[in-house]
Structure formats: structure tokens, C-alpha cells
Amino acid sequence: MREIRDRIAAWTRDGTPYALATVVGVRGSAPRDPGAAMAVSLDGEVVGSVSGGCVEGAVYESAREVLETGQAVVETYGISDDDAFAVGLTCGGILDVLVQPVRTPSLPAGGGFADVLTSIAEGEPVATATLTGAGGAGGAGGAGGAGGVGTTIAVWRDRVAGSLGVEGLDVAVVDDVRGMLEQGQTGTRHYGPAGERRLDDVAVFVSSFTPPPRLLVFGAIDFAGAVARLGVYLGYHVTVCDARPVFATRKRFPDAHEVVCEWPHRFLERTETDARTVVCVLTHDPKFDVPLLEVALRRPAAYIGAMGSRRTHEDRLQRLREAGLGEAELTRLRSPIGLDIGARSPEETAVSILAEVISGRWGGTGQPLGVTSGRIHEVRPDQLHSLPV
């Protein structure tokens, strides 16, 4: 929903009724992940996408009906590969899409939607938990006194807005949602009517909105500018850092969220990183990159890559060993940085680097899809968090 936040925030402020469609279930080779969202205003304006174009027309019609009835629904789109064109989902996967009306500056159950949108814009972690049915997406909901499909609560680290209709269910869901929020996870959880975790009578879809992951680019060179531009496009909060004031300027890196003039290792020492952080070391100068990598390889990060030739890489490894880093730490280093796609220009090199980041994040092989087999989008349980929804 982050990609459509600005538009629906404007509708919310203006009191414009709209329907919000969210992917809450995916089976097979569906084109979008859970959390993908599309909104349709009362006057027919559309923002966002739930399937990359496959079933948007059908979702649009459902949204118009929801705006008329005021009742949320869960629609299922998709059928077997042989008959996929009959329903429009050409990839053959199946999508469960929650379509819910938003008629006032609040969630359907009074969950403070305007506050949710504000938190997303300001980078404050927040999650929404929505009833999607009884026993799974597409069910009737309302089990054991819980609200109907579309009933939603908003959960922050320190507060909650709204209710699912049953105190025990609220307690269990809020507890689980806060754990999912810390991990940036989006997905469906199942409970008993009163919040029992051993049952699956009630399905609750959780959308976590965490601040964008960080992309730290060290070395104010042309390649850094291209990496910064692509990183912003992919949804990262991008910082470019270099110790040389003549190069580390806003004019040279207008796309970056931050440009810092400081010794790289000192900046990283005082900068928080987490399991989603990407570190790209493009200095390929020992006096900068060795002290920096000493710090980086001992910090949490999703990816740590360093630019340089194979000879530079071997020299760098030796220097890092002399600095006391062990083999387990050194195996985290991706160098020479990027995938082998024959890149030459800064822009092509940026694609190579970010392609390796994406591949590592989702367990991709880096091979052409035409020579691989099995599911294209294979998702492991530990990969439920994608880029912030």
C-alpha cells in the first residue's frame, strides 16, 4: 500500500469514499505478493495494482459494488493453467483479494486509517489486522462474535486502534501482530473464535508497514550515483557517504535521501543497521574500505558487497584477516560486487549490484529463467517480509 499512500491519503483527508483492494492470499504462480494493493475512488479513479494487470478489471468492478453496498468481500481469482485465460489470470496462479470500503477517515472498524497513513509517511512502524473469513480467505467471518469480513484494527508498538469484536481475539492478534511488525512480516494468521491459537476458525490478514530498508553506499563516484538512483526506485532509504567534501555533495547525488561527508567507518559505527540493510562499498581504496568492512562484517546486514578487481579482493581479504576477522565473517562479503551480466556503464553496474541484492534476498540462482525449473517465485517461510508493503 505504500506505493498508493499519497493518493489515498488525499482521498481520506478530503472525505472521498473509496474501496481498498488488498492481496491477502497467494497460491501458485500469482503475479503479486500478499499486501499488494489497489484503490478505486467513488468517481472511478484507480491507483495501484493487485496482479500487474491480469485481473484489475474484475477487481475494479468488485470495488464499485463494495462502494455501493458498503460491505467488504474477499474475491478469489484464478484457475488451472489450462483454463487461465477464462478468468484473466494468465500465469495460472490464484489470488485472494480483500475489497473493503473506506468511507470516512477511519478503517471500517474505526481503526484510525488516517493515523495509519500518517505513520507510514513518517516511517513509524504500524500494522493493520483485518478479518478475512472463517477458516481461511473467502469464508464468512464473524465466528464467535467477531466482526465481519473487513473488520480491522491498527497496531503500533505502543498503542492499538479499533477492535475485531472479541476481547480474547484482540489480545491474541495484537500480541502476534507486534511480533510480525518487528520482523516486517505480512501474512495470514488463524485463531479460534476467542483468540485460541490452536484453532483456525477465524482468518486474520496482517499488513506490516515498516520504514524502508536502508541502502548505504560508500564512495562518492559515478557508480554510486547510479546505485543510489536504482536503490530509491526499489524502495530503499539511500545514504551516500564519502570522506571527501569535494565529492560528497547533494548536487552530485540529488536522488539520495542523505549525503554524508565523513570517514565511512566512523559513520557506520554510529549508524543503526538491521537484517534488511544493504551495504555497498564502492571506494576500492584500502584506507577507506578495509576499516569500513571491519565494522560492516561485524554488524547485522542483508548484504555487504565491495567493488574491485579479483586481485583487489584477495588483497582486501588478507588485510581483513590481519585485522582479526574470521572466515565466517569474511564469507558474508560479496566481492567482486554484483552479478556477471557483462555490465560496463555505471547504470549497468548498478543493475548488476542490485540484481545480486535481490537474488540473495529471495534465494534466486542468478541463472536465466529459461534454464531453471520449478516455481519461478519460490518463497521460504523466512522470506515472508518483502520490501515494505
Side-chain angles (χ1 to χ4, degrees), residues 10 29 31 43-44 60-61 120 143 150 183 185 198-199 274 374:
S29 300
D43 61 6
Y60 175 85
E61 294 301 328
I120 294 173
Q183 298 298 320
Q185 292 182 337
R198 68 184 184 278
L199 302 176
D274 60 26

Side-chain angles (χ1 to χ4, degrees), residues 67-93:
L67 283 170
E68 289 183 8
T69 65
Q71 298 297 315
V73 298
V74 175
E75 304 280 12
T76 298
Y77 302 97
I79 200 166
S80 66
D81 289 287
D82 291 341
D83 299 322
F85 280 104
V87 294
L89 200 58
T90 56
C91 62

